[in-house]
Amino acid sequence: MKKRIIGIDPGLAHTGFGIIDTDGGGRNKTLVCYGIIETPAGEEHGVRLLAIYNRLLSLLMEYKPDEAAMETLYFARNVTSALSVAEAKGVVTMCLTQQAIPLFMYTPNQIKTSVTGTGSADKALVERYVKLLLDMEVEPKPDHAADALAAAITHIHTH
C-alpha cells in the first residue's frame, strides 16, 4: 500500500521538511520534495511560530501526507535553543494533530542507525546516505532538510 511520509526537523529559525512516497514495503522510496521553513530573527517570537504553523499547514494541505516522523528533542548544552526548538515542535505537533496526521517520534540514534547503519554517524554521513537512499543527484541541503528526510526514511524503514 502506497504511503506518503513527511519528516520534520523543527526549529524556530529553520524548520526542515522532507516528503517521501513509499510502496509500503519500504524498498521503493520516491522523493517528493524537501526544504525549510525559515523565519527571520528580527520578527516577534509569536509571529515566527505562527509562520511555521501556516507554512506547514500549507504543505500538509498541498501534499496530503499519511504520516509524519520527527526526531525526539535532545539538548546537552543550550537551554535557550532547546526552548525555542521545543516551542516549534509544539506548533508542528499541533498542526499535524489538527490535520489528523499520526506523528511518530525517533531518537537521534535510531535515525542515524536506520539511515547509515551506525549510531555514531555525523551530519555529513547522514546527508550522503540520504542522497543514496533517495537516488538524489546531490546531497540535500541545508542540514535541517536532510535531517527531516532522514526522519522520514527512518519511519519507512521502521514501519
Side-chain angles (χ1 to χ4, degrees), residues 54-130:
N54 287 334
R55 180 68 177 113
L56 179 59
L57 181 60
S58 171
L59 288 166
L60 298 178
M61 300 301 279
E62 181 177 353
Y63 292 102
K64 301 185 181 343
D66 299 299
E67 297 172 348
M70 192 163 44
E71 185 177 298
T72 57
L73 289 180
Y74 169 77
F75 290 96
R77 305 182 299 275
N78 192 335
V79 174
T80 304
S81 172
L83 292 174
S84 293
V85 173
E87 288 177 325
K89 181 179 178 237
V91 166
V92 167
T93 302
M94 180 182 68
C95 190
L96 292 166
T97 302
Q98 284 180 329
Q99 298 304 308
I101 299 170
L103 174 61
F104 297 83
M105 303 293 291
Y106 301 96
T107 67
N109 278 351
Q110 283 176 302
I111 292 173
K112 290 175 186 178
T113 302
S114 176
V115 172
T116 70
T118 176
S120 62
D122 63 9
K123 287 197 176 287
L125 186 61
V126 171
E127 289 172 5
R128 282 196 300 273
Y129 271 83
V130 166

Side-chain angles (χ1 to χ4, degrees), residues 17-53:
F17 66 88
I19 301 173
I20 301 171
D21 285 342
T22 179
D23 60 4
R27 290 181 196 192
N28 296 320
K29 294 178 268 309
T30 305
L31 176 63
V32 176
C33 71
Y34 69 95
I36 59 168
I37 300 167
E38 191 169 8
T39 65
E43 287 279 344
E44 189 266 318
H45 190 76
V47 172
R48 294 175 81 182
L49 292 171
L50 183 60
I52 293 167
Y53 174 87

